[in-house]
Amino acid sequence: MKRNFIACFLLLTSLAAGAKQQGETSMTLPDGNGSSREPVELNRNKRQPLPYKDATLPVETRVEDLLSRMTLYEKIAQLNQYTLGNNDNVNNIDEVVDKIPSETGSLIYFGDNASLRNAMQKKAVEETRLGIPILFGFDVIHGFRTVYPIPLAIGASWNPGLAGEACRVAAMEAWHAGIDWTFSPMVDIARDARWGRIAEGYGEDPYLTSVFGAASVKAYQGDDLSEPGNIAACLKHYVGYGASEAGRDYVPTEISRQTLWDTYLPPFEAGIKAGAATVMSSFNNISGIPGSANHYTMTEVLKEKWNHDGFVVADWNAVVQLISQGMAKDGKEAAMYAINAGLDMDMVDNLYMQHLEALLNEGKVSMERVDDAVRRILKLKFELGLFENPYTEEKPESEWVLLPESLETARNLAEESMVLLKNDGDVLPLEKDCKVALIGPMARNQKDLLGSWFGRGRAEDVTSIYDGLNEVMETSVAYAPGCDFDGSDTSGFAEAVRVASESDVVVLCLGEKRNWSGENASRSTIALPGIQEDLLMTLKETGKPIVVVLSNGRSLDLTRISPAADAVLETWQPGVMGGPAVASVLTGGTNPSGRLTVTFPYTTGQIPVYYNHRESGRRGSQGLYQDIPSTPMYEFGYGLSYTDYEYGQVTVSADSFTVNDRITASVTVRNAGDMDGKETVQWYICDPYSSLTRPVKELKHFEKRLLKAGEEYTFTFEIDPMRDLSFVNGEGERFIEPGDFYIMVKDQKVRITLTE
Ligand code: GLC
């Protein structure tokens, strides 16, 4: 009798607990429609854990068992994400949710270490009916505390292996801080530098972005998500966000299905193939249907065509934004559109918590769809091992933050990402005993070298260019700020001129503040503020050689700067090791090997301008600007070196072949200089005539390699016709047509012919 009474009591309390109202969620108690009245099996055999708690069982089995035990409230709570900690995300200031339901599926975690996370996790695991752990996510975009270069710089390194090493550092630090999941890599293709988020992606090319996105996913996730130091990745922003009209953030995008498949989808497909655990839906309206309510992209393409078995999380408030985007009349309708389109987790606007139960009761959302979303989220939690290891061991920061090997990786990546745009008269590299006048707003700056989305990075962690240069120069570096980033105060010019006049060479450090790019940071012009350009012109009058060092988060209009400078080094926003990296490149410790992955337009008026464009009907003879050149100032793939690389003749193993053949293209490159260097051979394909017109050329392969002075090496590209010569139509169907193709390397074009 007694045992039955206890059993009965446990059953009642567990039902009550499952249904109890948690925290401040505005969700009403389940009215019995949900599974709250379903019988909850008691665990009669205490020695045998419930199946969902049995780590020896397959994840699928554990998911199904757990799902069968969940009440409607518990299911809907899993589809919800709040914030935890001081939300210092400059673009998403939102009130901190101070009563968080312990059953919530996920939290965006704004913490430097795992203590707050563990405290919240304890409530979820030990104080709720089923003990489902919370998934803690955060924007670890280019480093957690060891901030390395912005992704636009990472792409410019053309070194995905090194990018992966940096992601391993980021994952390790984030994991120790209690982060299970990063909202990275961002794989949006961007061709408009007015858009601040161009800083966060790898540039304008679908193939290069695919390579870096896949490398990042694999590096974050490792081979087993449950292993220490591995975190789940999130491909974002799905999809076409980079096409934001006029470069303004959050605005509509007009993207044809053909361009969607040609340009914007490929990096996501590559990321899914690399095993990305999650995807984040985008803010932008995709030609009438917002990304966060787009059934075609999130369900038909992502989940059905690509068989993605992970989940889709909304971007911040992207569900409630469906109202302002003119799709939903209210939050309830917004929640309906979003979940029915395939959006599984609602980020911070709490609409799923508020409305899903009613939508289910009204038959506007199916229980199958809710269960499918819950399964996807539970699957990741099991794969991460959160049920076995819900807590993060709280180790002293000194054991995992800013480790020497982490800083070394950050430095290597910063050095390899820098692009030498101009070097007239070989003014670079500098002699270490020359007298340098270091001038400009970026010269002693620390915080802006971090760039946007700097994670938990701190300005004091950054070595400035001034300190980096002083480390390597044999003479002390003279310094003058010259001017501020913007404004009209020229009072610092005179001192700058004085310092310059007493030097052998001027190193002028110009650029952008970190919040001039990133989210909600569009600019109407990509030229730097006039005060910076005027400082350059004033210093030019001293007659001293001038090396301009740029630190910025986008391609720039250099029409005034480049002609006035003797040398121009693009350093992007290089992170905590920016100073030493700049100093190493300036003084020849590093031979610059970066190559642009975004086109530098001649001026803002040229935007959009990108290398992989389709041909005009009046090739180069008409349709040109009357007032400016119609070619960009610096092309995709461009970058100088301190040495000369001599390319031999490109050869092919066969110049005609069938679709089932493989042919190998080869080119021998020799480092003809007296300085070791890393060269990237870029292989492009041109399909001059096809039933669906193709871009003038498309990057299909690249290889970066160290060539010692005098060394030569034969680079090869094995062409798989179906992979490298085919294309997709507006339905994502892949085609290949016989005919001529050209392999392009540097200025060489070699014809190959695909026969029937
Ligand atoms: C932001 C960004 C997204 C980020 C998310 C969480 O608005 O659009 O990239 O991951 O919110 O911070």
Side-chain angles (χ1 to χ4, degrees), residues 235-548:
L235 300 168
K236 72 183 186 183
H237 304 80
Y238 190 64
V239 61
Y241 187 18
S244 294
E245 277 196 333
R248 286 187 297 115
D249 214 348
Y250 312 119
V251 299
T253 54
E254 286 307 324
I255 305 173
S256 68
R257 281 287 174 85
Q258 183 60 42
T259 298
L260 199 61
W261 280 102
D262 253 343
T263 301
Y264 297 104
L265 285 172
F268 287 93
E269 187 173 13
I272 294 298
K273 285 178 177 170
T278 68
V279 173
M280 181 182 290
S281 69
S282 60
F283 290 131
N284 56 299
N285 188 326
I286 308 172
S287 300
I289 310 285
S292 299
N294 199 302
H295 188 270
Y296 176 72
T297 53
M298 285 194 286
T299 296
E300 294 170 54
V301 175
L302 180 67
K303 294 178 178 178
E304 294 173 356
K305 189 175 181 71
W306 294 346
N307 299 313
H308 179 53
D309 60 1
F311 68 87
V312 181
V313 63
D315 200 340
W316 193 290
N317 278 342
V319 178
V320 72
Q321 284 173 358
L322 297 175
I323 300 170
S324 56
Q325 284 173 303
M327 182 161 194
K329 69 176 185 301
D330 55 26
K332 181 177 176 184
E333 199 170 77
M336 178 192 74
Y337 279 126
I339 193 153
N340 285 340
L343 201 158
D344 303 301
M345 182 181 280
D346 178 17
M347 184 185 283
V348 309
D349 58 34
N350 205 23
L351 291 180
Y352 281 14
M353 284 297 271
Q354 294 172 47
H355 300 295
L356 275 188
E357 182 198 358
L359 289 165
L360 284 160
N361 292 340
E362 293 161 21
K364 293 176 179 172
V365 172
S366 70
M367 198 67 224
E368 289 70 30
R369 176 72 271 273
V370 169
D371 283 345
D372 172 54
V374 176
R375 279 193 187 91
R376 291 170 180 270
I377 292 162
L378 294 180
K379 172 177 176 286
L380 180 56
K381 294 186 175 184
F382 282 115
E383 288 172 344
L384 282 164
L386 291 179
F387 284 82
E388 286 68 51
N389 301 297
Y391 307 114
T392 302
E393 184 185 353
E394 296 175 35
K395 288 186 171 181
E397 270 197 354
S398 58
E399 293 182 22
W400 50 277
V401 162
L402 298 166
L403 301 178
E405 59 270 30
S406 301
L407 294 173
E408 187 60 22
T409 299
R411 175 177 172 150
N412 292 339
L413 189 49
E415 289 171 351
E416 289 210 24
S417 65
M418 293 180 185
V419 184
L420 183 60
L421 297 176
K422 183 178 183 184
N423 191 23
D424 283 4
D426 290 341
V427 68
L428 291 176
L430 302 175
E431 296 301 329
K432 290 187 177 177
D433 61 357
C434 76
K435 289 167 64 183
V436 170
L438 189 70
I439 298 169
M442 290 304 290
R444 297 189 77 155
N445 181 295
Q446 290 173 280
K447 79 178 182 73
D448 295 300
L449 291 187
L450 289 172
S452 57
W453 292 105
F454 50 88
R456 306 307 291 178
R458 300 174 188 171
E460 63 264 25
D461 298 335
V462 178
T463 303
S464 69
I465 294 170
Y466 176 79
D467 288 341
L469 211 46
N470 265 309
E471 278 292 310
V472 298
M473 296 303 291
E474 290 159 10
T475 57
S476 67
V477 173
Y479 164 72
C483 69
D484 198 349
F485 282 94
D486 52 9
S488 55
D489 178 3
T490 59
S491 60
F493 281 25
E495 172 62 6
V497 167
R498 185 190 66 76
V499 169
S501 305
E502 294 168 5
S503 72
D504 299 325
V505 63
V506 173
V507 175
L508 179 60
C509 301
L510 306 176
E512 296 183 311
K513 291 184 178 179
R514 67 187 184 194
N515 64 1
W516 290 7
S517 57
E519 184 175 353
N520 198 15
S522 302
R523 295 178 70 78
S524 67
T525 171
I526 60 171
L528 290 179
I531 190 79
Q532 296 191 41
E533 296 179 335
D534 294 346
L535 175 60
L536 167 57
M537 299 310 165
T538 303
L539 291 168
K540 184 151 184 63
E541 291 165 11
T542 66
K544 298 290 182 179
I546 297 179
V547 175
V548 169

Side-chain angles (χ1 to χ4, degrees), residues 81 83 87 89 91-92 108 110 137-141 182-184 186 188 197 200 234 236-237 241 249-250 280-283 313-317 321 347-348 453 519-520:
Q81 180 183 65
T83 60
N87 166 19
N89 179 332
N91 302 304
N92 287 302
I108 302 178
F110 294 93
F138 186 59
D139 292 289
V140 188
I141 307 302
T182 177
F183 306 134
S184 172
M186 191 265 219
D188 296 315
R197 304 199 78 167
E200 297 173 52
C234 181
K236 72 183 186 183
H237 304 80
Y241 187 18
D249 214 348
Y250 312 119
M280 181 182 290
S281 69
S282 60
F283 290 131
V313 63
D315 200 340
W316 193 290
N317 278 342
Q321 284 173 358
M347 184 185 283
V348 309
W453 292 105
E519 184 175 353
N520 198 15

